């Protein structure tokens, strides 16, 4: 439709936060033959008056008796998988994967127990990017005890931009949005693979199996 409606040399505005890295690249490739170019921009943000704010309801902890595996153990397993792919940093944007990895649940998405957040995991650190209002004394203590740092949700782009240019950054191109992909420093080696967290999450432990039964 874009090829039919637009002339050669036209520009198409696309909000890179709304497209996966792979989705954006596919559209870009499809339009290239017609000499149509994508411009990463969020025009809606600039004109949306009275836009609803992000939810600030605090998230809660999913007890070990339901998860069957601690955050510490899950992070250890994830880092083992990262090492197999020679990755230094893993950027995660999928909400169900973040909820599983950190054993947290929330009410941010209707009919889904998810928390609006991002996460970055390195060989030695894990950071959860979430709105400060969503934290309580208990959840903060819980995260600290599991050696998980906390940063403001709005700081994720800058945090990705500050990744060491010598690091290898792992991501799932079908899930990571294009804005975050663009923020990865040019010197970094980009390692794309199907989500490691999704693969770990797919193998249920005995407690999870019993919960399903």
């Amino acid at each position: 439709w874009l090829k039919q409606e637009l002339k050669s040399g036209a520009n198409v505005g696309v909000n890179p936060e709304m497209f996966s890295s792979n989705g954006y690249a596919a559209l870009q490739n499809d339009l290239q033959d017609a000499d149509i170019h994508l411009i990463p921009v969020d025009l809606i943000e600039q004109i949306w008056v009275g836009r609803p704010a992000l939810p600030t309801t605090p998230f809660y902890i999913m007890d070990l008796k339901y998860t069957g595996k601690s955050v510490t153990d899950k992070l250890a397993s994830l880092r083992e998988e990262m090492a197999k792919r020679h990755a230094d940093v893993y950027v995660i944007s999928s909400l169900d994967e973040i909820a599983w990895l950190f054993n947290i649940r929330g009410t941010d998405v209707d009919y889904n127990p998810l928390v609006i957040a991002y996460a970055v995991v390195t060989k030695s650190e894990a950071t959860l990017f979430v709105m400060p209002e969503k934290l309580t004394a208990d959840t903060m203590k819980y995260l600290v005890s599991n050696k998980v740092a906390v940063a403001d949700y709005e700081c994720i782009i800058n945090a990705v931009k500050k990744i060491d240019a010598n690091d290898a950054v792992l991501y799932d191109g079908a899930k990571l949005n294009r804005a975050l992909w663009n923020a990865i420093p040019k010197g970094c080696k980009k390692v794309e693979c199907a989500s490691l967290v999704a693969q770990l999450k797919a193998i249920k432990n005995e407690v999870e199996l019993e919960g399903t039964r």
Side-chain angles (χ1 to χ4, degrees), residues 59 98-99 102 104 115-120 126-131 135 143 148-153:
F59 61 84
I98 291 170
F102 297 103
I104 58 175
V115 182
I116 293 178
Y118 289 106
V120 174
T127 305
L128 178 68
F129 292 81
V130 66
M131 293 183 70
L135 291 160
L143 292 171
V148 176
V150 177
D152 194 311
Y153 178 79

Side-chain angles (χ1 to χ4, degrees), residues 1-12 31 34-36:
W1 182 84
L2 289 172
K3 289 178 180 179
Q4 290 173 357
E5 296 294 319
L6 300 175
K7 296 178 180 179
S8 175
N11 293 323
V12 177
L31 296 178
D35 193 31
I36 298 172

Side-chain angles (χ1 to χ4, degrees), residues 91-125:
V91 183
I92 309 168
S93 60
S94 184
L95 301 189
D96 63 304
E97 295 173 13
I98 291 170
W100 179 86
L101 183 62
F102 297 103
N103 287 341
I104 58 175
R105 300 291 187 273
T107 58
D108 294 350
V109 180
D110 288 344
Y111 313 112
N112 289 278
L114 304 177
V115 182
I116 293 178
Y118 289 106
V120 174
V121 178
T122 71
K123 293 177 179 179
S124 59
E125 298 177 340

Side-chain angles (χ1 to χ4, degrees), residues 141-158:
K141 182 179 178 181
Y142 164 79
L143 292 171
V144 170
S145 68
N146 284 283
K147 297 181 180 179
V148 176
V150 177
D152 194 311
Y153 178 79
E154 303 290 346
C155 295
I156 182 63
I157 293 286
N158 285 334

Side-chain angles (χ1 to χ4, degrees), residues 194-205:
S195 171
L196 299 181
V197 177
Q199 294 177 53
L200 291 170
K201 184 165 73 80
I203 303 170
K204 304 303 180 186
N205 60 53

Side-chain angles (χ1 to χ4, degrees), residues 168-194:
V169 181
L170 189 144
Y171 70 98
D172 183 340
K175 297 182 179 182
L176 189 73
N177 70 54
R178 186 69 177 199
L180 282 179
W181 188 91
N182 285 340
I184 299 172
K186 291 184 179 179
C188 291
K189 178 183 178 182
K190 293 178 178 177
V191 182
E192 182 182 1
C193 75

